[in-house]
Amino acid sequence: MRRTFVYLISSILLCISVSTALAQKKKQIAIPADSTRWLNGFTVNVDVASLATSTFINNGMYSSEAGIQLDLKHKFFPTIEVGVAGANKVSTDNIKFKTNGLFERFGVDFNLRKKKPDSKPTNNLFTAGLRLGMSNFNYDVTNVTLADNYWGGSTSINYPTQNVSKIWYEFVIGVQVEVIKSFYLGWNLRIRNLISKDIPGEVSPWYIPGFGQNKSSNYGFNYTVGYHFWPEKKIVKKTNVIIIQKKENQITK
Amino acid sequence: MKKYIFITLIFSIFLNVSCVTDDTCIQTKYVKLTANFYLTNPKDSIIANRITGFYADSITVQGLKYDSITKLYQSVDSILYNNKKVNTIDLPLNNNSTVSIFKLKFKLKLKSVVDTMTIYHSNINDYLSLECGCIVTHAIDKVTTTYHYIDSARIKVYEVNTINAENIRIYTDSDKIKNNKVNTINAENIRLFNK
């Protein structure tokens, strides 16, 4: 109930922030990225949703991540995401699971926004993309009780320092809006599918850093705050200066 | 702008649904050895060699546990089958020992006959998940019995786990049955099986 309430509140806040961002967009003069250039700078994003979830929702899991997104022709956005995540979970039978680990994701986003000929220039993005995620991590499973209901007696088993590598892929869909000059707010939804599944007989982890709870498929949500480096303004200014100088030269001639 | 808000709301609702986690175990944890009764020499049966069952009226099955104080084998308090008319018995093997002993009491028309079946096995701890914990599966090494009513026992499937399989066949002697003056097959005690 509490979790649903928190998500409801965050959803409303998200709607407000997106609408505010769009409203602010109208007020400022947007300088569009140059679609003829291959490299249009890069954006550094920090995920706020994972930080907020880790702080406000006590579900035994925490995560924080950041990423770098290159802007190629304002169409393709190769992305690298790195983060740290962990879980400290106790089951209803008092079995304890603990893990901490790093994770990485590589992939590319594609800008789905079609540029209309009469539309105002903008840097806002509506993207869809793919990621390949991986994590190598250690985990402990302790206090596994084995009770014999018929013959009697019980024993407790511990599985300390288990190590595993997991690989998964993600479908990502999201929005990025330039709120203030070079500052971006955005969100994205991810559907994750595990490639390396559990081997029968192994002590499987309950949680995979960067993937979430160990299931064949999982969902993820990021709310990002980003800053775009190498702003196009400088490039535009330079090109304007060159054009003005050329015009002046033509007049003097 | 309306389009963006609509997409955001749809995804937020989707997220609310997907974030509900289930911490209950949905896997079966019931590990048991299955033993079926067969007739060694079913001369009286209509479908010879394809009939399971025995001529006893009922069976009582109970585990026997070694008591280190009295240095004797004592019956476990809980009775697995109490005067039941069955052709198949499911037996729990001891998780903390490699030997499980069962007392099988066959109630015949005139008297009761007791046999003891000893199962030697190894135990394997099998971790399932955080929700389900661990189960103990077994591998049967050897089965020995006394031969008062039981003729012999044969291992069919060595692995004892959650999969439903016929692990042991217990053969009962029809000549012994004849000596007990039982001449008819009770239809309820007949079960066909596929090889």
Side-chain angles (χ1 to χ4, degrees):
Chain A
M1 186 69 194
R2 189 190 163 212
R3 192 178 293 174
T4 313
F5 176 73
V6 170
Y7 268 112
L8 219 78
I9 295 294
S10 64
S11 304
I12 293 160
L13 286 172
L14 195 70
C15 289
I16 293 162
S17 64
V18 169
S19 56
T20 313
L22 285 166
Q24 281 180 340
K25 184 209 80 178
K26 283 184 178 176
K27 288 174 190 172
Q28 71 180 35
I29 303 153
I31 298 150
D34 190 352
S35 59
T36 57
R37 288 176 63 92
W38 263 101
L39 186 63
N40 283 297
F42 64 94
T43 309
V44 177
N45 289 310
V46 177
D47 181 31
V48 188
S50 57
L51 289 170
T53 312
S54 308
T55 313
F56 298 115
I57 301 169
N58 185 25
N59 58 0
M61 294 179 269
Y62 78 88
S63 176
S64 59
E65 63 180 84
I68 296 175
Q69 188 184 48
L70 285 176
D71 183 344
L72 300 180
K73 290 186 85 115
H74 210 56
K75 284 178 186 170
F76 312 107
F77 299 87
T79 304
I80 299 168
E81 293 162 342
V82 288
V84 61
N88 197 351
K89 177 83 176 173
V90 181
S91 77
T92 46
D93 292 333
N94 217 26
I95 303 168
K96 289 167 187 168
F97 173 85
K98 196 175 182 182
T99 188
N100 289 300
L102 295 168
F103 63 89
E104 309 85 41
R105 296 192 205 107
F106 307 95
V108 64
D109 284 331
F110 302 94
N111 190 5
L112 300 178
R113 221 165 160 231
K114 284 180 184 174
K115 195 182 174 185
K116 290 173 188 171
D118 57 338
S119 65
K120 287 177 184 177
T122 175
N123 284 331
N124 299 338
L125 300 171
F126 177 52
T127 57
L130 280 167
R131 300 278 187 283
L132 183 73
M134 57 201 78
S135 181
N136 180 280
F137 59 100
N138 291 332
Y139 58 97
D140 304 322
V141 180
T142 52
N143 200 35
V144 184
T145 309
L146 269 173
D148 195 322
N149 295 327
Y150 183 72
W151 298 94
S154 70
T155 49
S156 183
I157 309 164
N158 295 324
Y159 300 99
T161 329
Q162 304 288 310
N163 180 269
V164 76
S165 292
K166 293 282 180 186
I167 301 169
W168 67 92
Y169 65 91
E170 301 181 3
F171 294 109
V172 189
I173 191 159
V175 171
Q176 277 185 16
V177 178
E178 192 177 18
V179 189
I180 316 166
K181 184 92 211 92
S182 297
F183 275 98
Y184 284 79
L185 282 180
W187 58 260
N188 60 61
L189 185 78
R190 293 151 186 261
I191 299 166
R192 296 167 176 148
N193 290 294
L194 207 57
I195 298 168
S196 49
K197 304 217 167 131
D198 294 334
I199 302 158
E202 77 168 8
V203 179
S204 57
W206 179 76
Y207 179 86
I208 300 165
F211 180 81
Q213 212 173 322
N214 189 1
K215 299 172 186 171
S216 59
S217 65
N218 222 332
Y219 296 94
F221 177 75
N222 288 19
Y223 187 73
T224 57
V225 177
Y227 185 80
H228 187 77
F229 289 91
W230 194 354
E232 294 82 13
K233 194 182 173 183
K234 287 174 188 173
I235 302 157
V236 174
K237 268 189 175 175
K238 276 180 187 174
T239 49
N240 284 345
V241 168
I242 291 161
I243 291 161
I244 290 159
Q245 279 178 346
K246 276 182 181 176
K247 279 182 179 176
E248 281 173 355
N249 290 337
Q250 282 174 355
I251 293 159
T252 50
K253 278 176 185 177
Chain B
M1 194 173 80
K2 279 179 184 174
K3 191 171 77 182
Y4 280 88
I5 293 168
F6 177 73
I7 293 165
T8 309
L9 273 172
I10 291 292
F11 283 165
S12 303
I13 292 160
F14 189 56
L15 194 74
N16 282 338
V17 175
S18 66
C19 281
V20 175
T21 54
D22 192 3
D23 288 344
T24 52
C25 179
I26 51 165
Q27 283 179 275
T28 178
K29 293 177 74 179
Y30 185 48
V31 178
K32 77 307 188 237
L33 177 145
T34 302
N36 288 337
F37 289 100
Y38 286 83
L39 302 173
T40 310
N41 190 19
K43 289 170 189 170
D44 300 327
S45 73
I46 301 158
I47 318 160
N49 298 320
R50 291 194 66 196
I51 286 176
T52 59
F54 57 92
Y55 288 98
D57 285 341
S58 64
I59 187 170
T60 300
V61 184
Q62 207 168 1
L64 289 175
K65 199 175 172 184
Y66 184 73
D67 187 1
S68 56
I69 300 161
T70 59
K71 294 185 178 176
L72 290 168
Y73 281 94
Q74 306 267 336
S75 295
V76 177
D77 293 337
S78 175
I79 300 168
L80 293 164
Y81 294 88
N82 194 2
N83 282 318
K84 297 274 182 187
K85 248 183 178 175
V86 286
N87 291 329
T88 301
I89 51 170
D90 291 337
L91 305 172
L93 299 181
N94 198 330
N95 291 345
N96 303 310
S97 171
T98 54
V99 181
S100 299
I101 305 166
F102 297 94
K103 184 174 81 177
L104 289 85
K105 187 179 174 185
F106 300 95
K107 192 179 176 187
L108 305 172
K109 290 231 167 172
L110 298 173
K111 59 176 181 179
S112 292
V113 183
V114 176
D115 270 310
T116 307
M117 185 167 71
T118 308
I119 299 158
Y120 298 88
H121 55 88
S122 54
N123 303 326
I124 306 128
N125 295 336
D126 193 2
Y127 179 81
L128 299 176
S129 64
L130 191 74
E131 293 84 8
C132 298
C134 215
I135 57 166
V136 180
T137 59
H138 313 276
I140 305 167
D141 297 324
K142 192 170 70 172
V143 177
T144 59
T145 63
T146 56
Y147 304 107
H148 300 116
Y149 186 73
I150 294 171
D151 179 74
S152 59
R154 193 194 295 171
I155 304 166
K156 289 294 287 181
V157 176
Y158 286 81
E159 292 80 27
V160 181
N161 46 39
T162 53
I163 300 163
N164 194 18
E166 184 188 39
N167 299 107
I168 294 171
R169 285 183 174 186
I170 300 169
Y171 291 91
T172 53
D173 196 336
S174 61
D175 289 335
K176 286 177 185 174
I177 296 157
K178 276 190 173 178
N179 294 337
N180 284 298
K181 294 178 183 176
V182 180
N183 296 319
T184 54
I185 300 168
N186 189 336
E188 287 177 16
N189 284 342
I190 297 170
R191 188 169 68 88
L192 294 174
F193 71 96
N194 298 316
K195 280 190 175 179

